[in-house]
């Protein structure tokens, strides 16, 4: 556990030394802030759903997840430090989890300022909020981000080119997101299958404040599989 924490801290320091993290964080907060004000003031609608469920916000999250995970292993491979890391008394799974946690913490750090939107409803007495739905939305965002990051880390472990890692991981994540948007083009017998594969479908369920075991299983199994594949990818260098 100590090794995982050490790797996590090292990766976090490295992330905050990069301008990419700041650029994407600011972009995400600008987009969510715009949709928050656009939902509240023109319509007077007291709800956070306009922020959490907006497609543009989700697209920014897709870009963010792909951008911060593209460098996790690609940069190590390009600089040659991956060989040094793998020769140290560190288990491959510790390295994978440490890098995964650092990217996830960075995204959670980005979500924290959005709590201001929730607090503003209370301070200015703008109306009552469904706190269960808000809690569910934040849980959903964290699970969604975890899945996207695990995919990005796996792709990053396959190439030393960060641009390729970004494009491939973004396309995979985008495909998962769009599965429930193309159901009208899918044969009737496959609708439920494609719907289950959709990350957005499971997020929408959780964001309603209802934590269903099927949605939790979807996210955790996806994260587990991606991290396991990343571990296998690293081990393949020793074969």
């Amino acid at each position: 556990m100590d090794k995982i924490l050490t790797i996590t801290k090292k990766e976090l320091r490295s992330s905050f030394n990069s301008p990419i993290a700041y650029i994407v964080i600011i972009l995400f907060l600008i987009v969510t802030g715009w949709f928050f004000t656009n939902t509240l003031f023109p319509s007077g609608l007291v709800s956070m759903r306009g922020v959490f469920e907006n497609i543009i916000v989700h697209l920014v999250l897709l870009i963010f997840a792909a951008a911060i995970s593209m460098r996790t292993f690609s940069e190590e491979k390009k600089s040659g430090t991956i060989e040094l890391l793998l020769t140290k008394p560190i288990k491959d799974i510790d390295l994978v989890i440490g890098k995964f946690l650092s990217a996830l913490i960075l995204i959670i750090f980005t979500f924290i300022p959005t709590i201001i939107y929730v607090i503003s409803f209370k301070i200015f007495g703008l109306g009552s909020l469904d706190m269960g739905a808000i809690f569910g939305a934040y849980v959903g965002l964290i699970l969604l981000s975890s899945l996207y990051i695990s995919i990005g880390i796996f792709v990053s472990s396959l190439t030393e080119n960060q641009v390729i890692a970004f494009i491939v991981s973004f396309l995979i994540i985008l495909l998962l997101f769009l599965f429930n948007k193309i159901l009208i083009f899918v044969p009737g017998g496959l609708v439920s299958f494609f719907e289950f594969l959709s990350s957005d479908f499971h997020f929408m369920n959780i964001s309603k404040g209802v934590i269903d075991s099927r949605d939790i299983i979807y996210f955790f199994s996806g994260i587990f599989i991606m991290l396991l594949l990343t571990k296998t990818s690293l081990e393949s260098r020793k074969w």
Side-chain angles (χ1 to χ4, degrees), residues 48-101:
M48 291 294 292
R49 298 190 70 171
V51 177
F52 293 133
E53 298 179 4
N54 190 277
I55 291 179
I56 303 300
V57 173
H58 280 263
L59 287 177
V60 173
L61 181 59
L62 302 187
I63 296 171
F64 192 8
I68 65 174
S69 59
M70 69 179 183
R71 57 180 293 278
T72 49
F73 286 106
S74 295
E75 187 177 49
E76 301 278 11
K77 284 187 172 185
K78 188 173 183 179
S79 63
T81 55
I82 186 67
E83 303 294 344
L84 180 62
L85 279 174
L86 294 178
T87 56
K88 288 186 176 182
I90 302 174
K91 295 180 180 179
D92 292 342
I93 191 61
D94 292 342
L95 184 60
V96 172
I97 293 176
K99 286 180 175 290
F100 167 77
L101 289 177

Side-chain angles (χ1 to χ4, degrees), residues 6-57:
T6 300
I7 295 169
T8 302
K9 292 176 183 177
K10 172 183 172 296
E11 290 298 314
L12 277 174
R13 284 196 297 268
S14 177
S15 295
F16 281 107
N17 286 333
S18 169
I20 295 178
Y22 294 101
I23 292 171
V24 184
I25 287 174
I26 292 172
L27 176 61
F28 182 82
L29 294 177
I30 290 174
V31 172
T32 53
W34 188 86
F35 280 106
F36 169 72
T37 54
N38 190 57
T39 298
L40 176 63
F41 295 111
S43 64
L45 180 62
V46 183
S47 172
M48 291 294 292
R49 298 190 70 171
V51 177
F52 293 133
E53 298 179 4
N54 190 277
I55 291 179
I56 303 300
V57 173

Side-chain angles (χ1 to χ4, degrees), residues 46-48 117-119 121-122 127-132 134:
V46 183
S47 172
M48 291 294 292
Y117 308 148
V118 180
I119 295 174
F121 281 116
K122 295 293 184 180
S128 60
L129 288 171
D130 185 348
M131 298 307 296
I134 291 176

Side-chain angles (χ1 to χ4, degrees), residues 108-197:
I108 292 176
F109 178 80
T110 306
F111 293 154
I112 291 176
T114 64
I115 297 176
I116 295 173
Y117 308 148
V118 180
I119 295 174
S120 65
F121 281 116
K122 295 293 184 180
I123 293 178
F124 298 106
L126 298 174
S128 60
L129 288 171
D130 185 348
M131 298 307 296
I134 291 176
F135 174 77
Y138 277 109
V139 170
L141 282 174
I142 293 173
L143 291 174
L144 197 66
S145 302
S146 300
L147 177 61
Y148 292 166
I149 289 169
S150 65
I151 293 172
I153 287 177
F154 169 61
V155 175
S156 180
S157 71
L158 299 175
T159 177
E160 64 178 31
N161 190 307
Q162 293 188 43
V163 176
I164 293 176
F166 172 80
I167 294 173
V168 174
S169 57
F170 175 76
L171 290 176
I172 294 173
I173 294 169
L174 181 62
L175 182 62
L176 281 180
F177 174 75
L178 292 176
F179 270 135
N180 72 328
K181 311 295 183 186
I182 59 173
L183 296 181
I184 57 175
F185 305 108
V186 176
L190 295 175
V191 168
S192 59
F193 174 72
F194 276 85
E195 190 175 55
F196 181 80
L197 289 178

